Structures are given as structure tokens and as C-alpha cells.
Amino acid sequence: MKRTLSLPGLAYGGDYNPEQWPEEVWAEDVRLMAEAGVNMVSVNIFSWALLEPAEGEYDFSRLDRILDMLYCHGIAADLATPTAAPPAWFFKAHPEALPVDHDGRTLSYGSRQTFCPSSPAYRTAALRIAGELGRRYADHPAVVMWHIHNEYGCHNAECYCDTSAQAFRRWLREKYADDLAALNDAWGTTFWSQWYYDWDEIIPPRATGAVPNPTHQLDWRRFCSDELLSLCKAEREVLAQAAPAVPATTNFMVMYNFDALDYWRWAPELDVVSNDHYLRSTDPESEIDIALSGDLVRSLAGGPWLLMEHSTGAVNWQPVNRAKTPGELRRNALAHVAHGADGIAYFQWRAAKAGAEQWHSAMLPHAGTDSVIWQDVVRLGAELRALGEVRGSTGTAETAIVWDWDARWAMEMPSQPSAALRYLDLVRSWYEPLWRSGVAVDFVRPDADLSAYRLVLAPSLYLVDDAGATNLTSFAERGGTLAVGFHSGAVDENCHVRLGGYPGAFREALGVSTDEYFPLLPEETVGLEGGGTGSLWSERVRATGAQTVSAFTDGPLTGVPAITRHGYGAGTAWYVATLPDPDTLAALLKRASDEAGVAPVRTGIPRGIEAVLRRSPTADYLFLIDHLGLGAEVPVAPDAVELLTATPLTNGTVTVPPGGVAVIREVRG
Ligand code: GAL
């Protein structure tokens, strides 16, 4: 039974690191927090060295004062275990706990997350401090949630040391039920003389002369995710023993090139799912990513979630760190709420004067309150208060996109037909036209219950096991519309090619069979019937039942089907054997959606306005976000209310200001 976070309205705040400042500054902090409407802050994330000055010796006096102060000012604490940054004394005593990278280099301490996830000394020390903290603050009235660790795996997702090797072997013995022959079979070790005669011969996939074994690498990725998850669960248990009623979270990073953890396995272990999201300076379109990541986190959580970190302005870890444009801070935050966030938090409250992140933006910038960011932060606080009633409401969708970390890991390993295939980019290409047209999307695992959906898309599913493949094809057979992207269904869960023609697992349902892939070179495109082009990929598809919707019009595959449609059972199955240009892909997905009976959340929404719906048992909350800066008039239900301005919309329309946001409550009758 999951514990819930009990806060009235939406949470608002950020990482609060008062230990970095003299105590005189704290009074100003809480005063300004009240001005901004901050109601929850994450504290103690990197405070281990201050809390435990020497092994087993504790000094909680400063944290006592911080929590008491927050409580006195009505600010809740999301209290972190400080285990992401072990102190220097720990590594002096346990140098064997330092991580070793892929090339065999032992990393040094001096930053954060420089520990080996399999280190027994680290586990003992982490659980000890988590236990002390849990027992001391279990009943503290400020503490409303445990924040376990910080961004597991951000810097140390993989450690290749001998201790990790032993842990990997233990994990493998369990997975293969102590049957080494089963492992040899799964890994295909007759290839290149890789046969193992003893478990002790197995090592992590360290730097080696040629391409490592694919299944070895994939099991390694699975192990690394599980190894960190076991640390998270162990901390969660220690905290639950001390404080059975307090919910626990840890901050995920479902986007931004981070792909180390299989969050489908993580999400069920946490009471509250939270996520950190940063924008890519180089991508002016990265507001799409807010929607995509929000929908993915909402799907992982099965409902509302918390945005634990994002930035008010520039970050400090990209080559050039772009500041946000006017209105962007507000638009970003409210877009996260639209996609299911029940709380908005930033890294961090007060911009640091010293340390590695001194050039990272914050809620209270170096310039202080005489700054645009501060004005925006205060305005946002008031607006989030005005949106309090959306808490607990959630989006629903009739379209699902299949998202699978195993498939992502496997496809992005070396020695594929093309090294240019990036999982996130492929999924984003298919997500984008749906986002632009206001179609709500859930993300699902291949073996999810699909009964709520009319349309299921698998833009990239290189690896799929039999159960997942059957689940997807029976969805079509029973009347659903399934669309599958190229190079899907190619291998099973052990990365073994499904023989007899691609796309292996989906051949029959799609009514096609491919005998050879023809990946395209980086700048190469291929013409498509109907006037579009394809990039990245082509293949020699033979229709074995499917009808050709569009064929390749040039190159060696002229006349060969590129996009096909197959009546399968009571439903339809599409195959897309290239990456169509955005207009062609949009038209294709529009046709598939129309045929499936999927509608956008609202019709008549002007171009550039994102429309997202959250629903409670009694009301619809329609978020309208202007991404083009043009503003618009949008029709709404009679008797609707715009919540940010508390305006009754008596004339049946709402004005979305240029670059702005409107949130409309429509009571269902
Ligand atoms: C996150 C991290 C924060 C801070 C932030 C800066 O990855 O959790 O502690 O470093 O990035 O953008």
C-alpha cells in the first residue's frame, strides 16, 4: 500500500542547502520563502560530511535547527538521506569503495557519487546514516517525505571493479538459476570462443579489443540498474522501520540523455514518483521534451507525480548555458503541471556563492530579489496556489507509446546495422506530431494491459520478448490499431535474432517480411510515394498480406513498400520501414488516429497552442500553453473559469496571452 504525501494544494519549492550559508542568512530565506509561497523544500541532500564528522559520530544540531525553523514557518521538509555524497573520511578508510570506470581507472573522491554501488562498506555506511536520520526525525512535524539519495546513478551508474564483478556474478547466478549452460546459451558464447566453464571467469564488460558480447552487455545494464535499486530499497526499508507512515521518493531523471535505470522496475518501489528535468540549451524545441517526459513520468507513477528539480534559468553543465527567455520559466513549470506534476521544485533555492554549481541558476539568484527571476518565482508561487485544486487530477489517454529500457539499451549497443539510431530521438519523432495535434499519450511497457487504448505505437522496439510481442499483436487482433517502427521485433530478450525475416516478432501481424536492411548514411534521404522523404533507414520489405501505403521512390529499393497497413484480426497493424519526414509522419499518424477513433483532447485549438487535460472526478482542467508567442482565443465550455486569473469565462472563450498559459476549469455535469 503506497503512502501519500499530504500537503494542501500543489507543492512548491526547491533544494534548500542552508548549510552552505551562515545562519544569519536563514532568517531571510524563510521570509522570502513565505513571500514566494514556498511550502516544501528538500533538505540535507549533500550534508553527510557535516552530519557525521567521523565514522559513527553524529552532529545533528544544525539539521535540528533547520527543521525546527522550517516547521515554525509552515514549510514542510522533504528530508533527504545524504548518501549521494559520502565524506572524505569514508574513502580514506575504504579506498576499495571508490568506483572503477570502463577503462579500469579508479576514480577519486572530491565531487559526489564517487562510490561503487556494490561496495559493502558503502552500503553499511549509507544504511547507518539513513537509520540514524530516520530514527531521529521520524516524528519531526516538518518532515512530510523522505527523499532517498539523489538521482541514483547520475555519475556512477556503472562500476567495473572486482567487487562489482562479484556482485554481477551473484546476480547472474540468480537470474540463470545457477545454470552456467543456460547463461552460455543465452549469451551465445560459442561465438568468438567466449564459453564460460566457471562463474568466476565472468567479468563486467570492461574495455576490450573488439566488440563485446551483446547479451553480456545487456545483462550488465540490467544488473547495474538492479544494483542501485537494491540500495534504494535498502534505504527505504530502514526509513520505513523508523517512520512507517512517512512516504518515500527518490528523484528520477527520465530524460536528458540519462538511460541507466529501468524506471519501470523502480517506480513501484516508491510511494511518490518524482523526476528532475532540465532543458537542452541547444534545442529551441525542447519544450516538447517537457511534455514527453511528463507523460512518461505520469505513466510510471500511474497518476500525479512531483517535479523535484528543474531550473529557473541557466544550468552550469552544458557547453553554453542558455538563460530562459521572458515567460519561459512560467511556461515550463506550468507545462509540467499540465502533464501531471502535483508539485514544482527547483535546483536550488539560493544560488551558491562557492562550489561546483556556483554558476547554476536558482530561485533566489546572486542578484537577490532585485531580479527578473525572483519576480517570476514569486508570481509562479501565487499561480501554483491558485491551481491547488488540480492536485490529484490526472490525464487519461487512448493512445499509448511503447517505451522499454531493455529495447533502448540493446539497440544502442555497438555493432548495430546503424550507429545513428537513438532511441529517444525515434520515440520523440513519433511523439511530436501527437503533441502538436493535442492527442493525449500514455507510455506503456510492451506487456502492459492495453485494454484502455485504441491506438498503440511502437516507434522503436528492437528487442521484445514473446510475451510483449504477443501482447501487442493481440491488441491489434482484438480490434486495436498498432503501428510499429523499423528495426522492431528484431531480437528476443537475449538479443538473439528472430529468424525467418524481419521484423521478426511482428512479421505475421504486420503482414510483411524483410530479407535485408538498407540503413541510410547520415545525410542520405530516400523518396517516398506521396512526396515525402525517409531518412536513417530503409529495408527491402515484401508485403505478405499488408497493403502498401507508400513505396520508396528512388535508390536501390525503388518500388519497395516503405509504409504498410495490414488488416489483422479485428484490427489494423501498420509498419513504417523508414523515418518519414515530420509532415509525412504527422499525416500517417493522423490517419492511424482517425481510423482508430482517437481524437485530440480538444478540437479547434489554434496552431502553436498545446492543449492538455487533467481530470478529477468532477472537473476537467484544460491547460493551454502558447509555444509560438502568438497568443490565441480558444473556445471553452460555458460556465468555465480561468484559474490563474480567477476569471469566469462567460462568453465561451478564453484568451491565451502570447507566450502565456491559461488553465480552465470546466465542471462536468
Ligand atoms: C541535478 C542534481 C542537482 C544539481 C542539478 C544541476 O542532476 O540532482 O544536485 O546538480 O543537477 O542542474
Side-chain angles (χ1 to χ4, degrees):
M1 180 63 184
K2 297 224 175 193
R3 305 166 188 92
T4 51
L5 170 64
S6 57
L7 267 191
L10 301 176
Y12 184 43
D15 286 8
Y16 179 40
N17 302 307
E19 64 279 1
Q20 295 172 5
W21 298 91
E23 297 202 14
E24 305 83 81
V25 175
W26 300 3
E28 187 191 46
D29 285 334
V30 282
R31 181 174 59 75
L32 292 177
M33 283 180 192
E35 187 179 324
V38 164
N39 59 4
M40 185 176 83
V41 289
S42 300
V43 284
N44 202 46
I45 296 182
F46 299 110
S47 302
W48 194 345
L50 299 181
L51 290 185
E52 192 178 358
E55 182 168 334
E57 282 175 30
Y58 302 99
D59 176 3
F60 287 108
S61 55
R62 186 189 285 99
L63 186 54
D64 289 349
R65 291 197 296 284
I66 294 169
L67 291 174
D68 292 349
M69 173 186 71
L70 290 173
Y71 181 65
C72 286
H73 288 82
I75 298 162
D78 168 37
L79 179 54
T81 60
T83 53
W89 59 252
F90 169 78
F91 292 112
K92 203 170 134 206
H94 299 286
E96 79 288 356
L98 287 167
V100 172
D101 75 5
H102 177 255
D103 298 332
R105 282 184 319 163
T106 302
L107 303 184
S108 178
Y109 59 93
S111 60
R112 64 177 176 188
Q113 265 186 0
T114 45
F115 63 86
C116 159
S118 302
S119 157
Y122 170 77
R123 179 179 280 254
T124 304
L127 297 187
R128 195 176 56 228
I129 185 80
E132 290 293 331
L133 196 82
R135 285 185 291 278
R136 187 170 186 95
Y137 297 111
D139 297 319
H140 195 289
V143 176
V144 292
M145 186 161 63
W146 300 119
H147 178 297
I148 302 174
H149 198 86
N150 190 65
E151 290 185 342
Y152 272 102
C154 182
H155 308 286
N156 63 344
E158 294 171 277
C159 169
Y160 291 80
C161 75
D162 289 339
T163 307
S164 300
Q166 282 167 19
F168 183 38
R169 285 179 211 122
R170 274 198 300 277
W171 184 92
L172 290 168
R173 290 182 88 133
E174 199 179 320
K175 171 168 180 181
Y176 293 100
D178 248 336
D179 182 353
L180 197 50
L183 177 142
N184 277 306
D185 187 40
W187 288 16
T189 54
T190 48
F191 194 82
W192 278 0
S193 183
Q194 288 170 352
W195 191 270
Y196 296 105
Y197 289 95
D198 194 311
W199 292 97
D200 282 356
E201 293 164 3
I202 301 174
I203 54 172
R206 295 174 176 145
T208 181
V211 179
N213 178 302
T215 325
H216 182 183
Q217 292 176 80
L218 181 61
D219 269 347
W220 171 252
R221 301 292 305 261
R222 292 164 168 154
F223 156 76
C224 291
S225 173
D226 280 0
E227 197 68 347
L228 285 166
L229 179 56
S230 92
L231 282 174
C232 177
K233 282 161 64 177
E235 282 200 29
R236 184 203 61 194
E237 289 312 316
V238 164
L239 295 167
Q241 267 169 26
V246 180
T249 191
T250 188
N251 40 348
F252 292 175
M253 290 178 286
V254 303
M255 294 273 282
Y256 203 79
N257 295 342
F258 182 84
D259 70 344
L261 307 181
D262 180 350
Y263 288 124
W264 288 124
R265 289 168 69 81
W266 283 65
E269 303 294 344
L270 296 154
D271 298 308
V272 175
V273 167
S274 53
N275 191 50
D276 297 350
H277 186 93
Y278 290 94
L279 299 182
R280 291 167 298 151
S281 287
T282 46
D283 185 356
E285 293 283 11
S286 61
E287 288 184 18
I288 294 170
D289 287 354
I290 294 181
L292 196 164
S293 100
D295 287 345
L296 178 54
V297 186
R298 181 177 48 75
S299 305
L300 287 162
W305 53 279
L306 291 182
L307 180 69
M308 194 56 91
E309 283 182 30
H310 71 315
S311 70
T312 56
V315 297
N316 67 323
W317 40 264
Q318 299 186 19
V320 175
N321 296 291
R322 190 176 67 80
K324 291 195 179 180
T325 52
E328 194 177 350
L329 177 154
R330 182 172 172 264
R331 209 165 49 240
N332 291 171
L334 295 174
H336 285 291
V337 177
H339 288 273
D342 264 1
I344 293 295
Y346 289 97
F347 177 82
Q348 60 178 332
W349 163 250
R350 185 183 275 276
K353 196 164 106 176
E357 299 191 303
Q358 60 189 163
W359 292 112
H360 196 290
S361 61
M363 298 173 83
L364 185 58
H366 291 143
T369 53
D370 187 12
S371 61
V372 172
I373 284 186
W374 177 252
Q375 287 161 16
D376 285 352
V377 160
V378 172
R379 177 178 179 191
L380 179 64
E383 295 192 322
L384 291 174
R385 252 196 324 278
L387 293 184
E389 66 179 84
V390 309
R391 180 193 165 82
S393 62
T394 191
T396 52
E398 294 174 328
T399 301
I401 293 184
V402 181
W403 178 285
D404 185 59
W405 273 276
D406 269 0
R408 178 177 186 172
W409 293 336
M411 189 191 72
E412 294 189 353
M413 288 188 315
S415 248
Q416 283 282 315
S418 166
L421 306 185
R422 300 261 74 72
Y423 184 84
L424 180 56
D425 292 346
L426 292 172
V427 173
R428 192 192 286 112
S429 319
W430 285 49
Y431 178 85
E432 182 173 337
L434 301 171
W435 177 74
R436 289 196 191 284
S437 58
V439 170
V441 169
D442 283 345
F443 286 89
V444 293
R445 328 165 49 126
D447 60 355
D449 175 2
L450 300 174
S451 52
Y453 303 109
R454 293 169 180 272
L455 176 65
V456 172
L457 309 174
S460 179
L461 197 59
Y462 167 64
L463 173 152
V464 65
D465 64 11
D466 289 348
T470 307
N471 189 45
L472 294 169
T473 55
S474 3
F475 165 77
E477 203 172 8
R478 287 195 307 266
T481 301
L482 173 71
V484 175
F486 62 81
H487 203 26
S488 292
V491 299
D492 67 13
E493 68 277 20
N494 291 324
C495 290
H496 291 204
V497 173
R498 294 178 178 276
L499 302 176
Y502 320 123
F506 300 116
R507 213 168 46 223
E508 187 200 324
L510 298 173
V512 296
S513 183
T514 289
D515 72 326
E516 198 172 351
Y517 287 152
F518 287 68
L520 301 174
L521 295 172
E523 302 306 320
E524 204 179 353
T525 57
V526 59
L528 296 175
E529 231 168 15
T533 54
S535 60
L536 273 182
W537 194 266
S538 61
E539 55 187 80
R540 190 161 46 221
V541 177
R542 188 163 44 91
T544 55
Q547 153 228 340
T548 302
V549 173
S550 170
F552 295 112
T553 56
D554 53 43
L557 300 181
T558 301
V560 166
I563 300 172
T564 61
R565 181 181 180 281
H566 185 219
Y568 182 61
T572 310
W574 293 74
Y575 188 49
V576 186
T578 185
L579 178 65
D581 65 85
D583 288 347
T584 306
L585 187 53
L588 162 66
L589 292 177
K590 167 93 173 67
R591 181 172 162 194
S593 309
D594 287 349
E595 285 181 7
V598 166
V601 297
R602 281 300 149 94
T603 48
I605 301 289
R607 199 172 77 84
I609 302 285
E610 177 183 5
V612 195
L613 209 54
R614 286 181 68 154
R615 312 188 88 202
S616 77
T618 53
D620 282 0
Y621 296 102
L622 176 65
F623 287 71
L624 298 166
I625 307 165
D626 177 19
H627 293 286
L628 287 185
L630 301 174
E633 291 288 315
V634 178
V636 294
D639 301 325
V641 174
E642 202 290 317
L643 294 177
L644 297 173
T645 53
T647 310
L649 301 168
T650 41
N651 66 353
T653 64
V654 65
T655 306
V656 186
V661 181
V663 184
I664 295 59
R665 177 185 57 215
E666 297 173 341
V667 174
R668 278 200 304 277

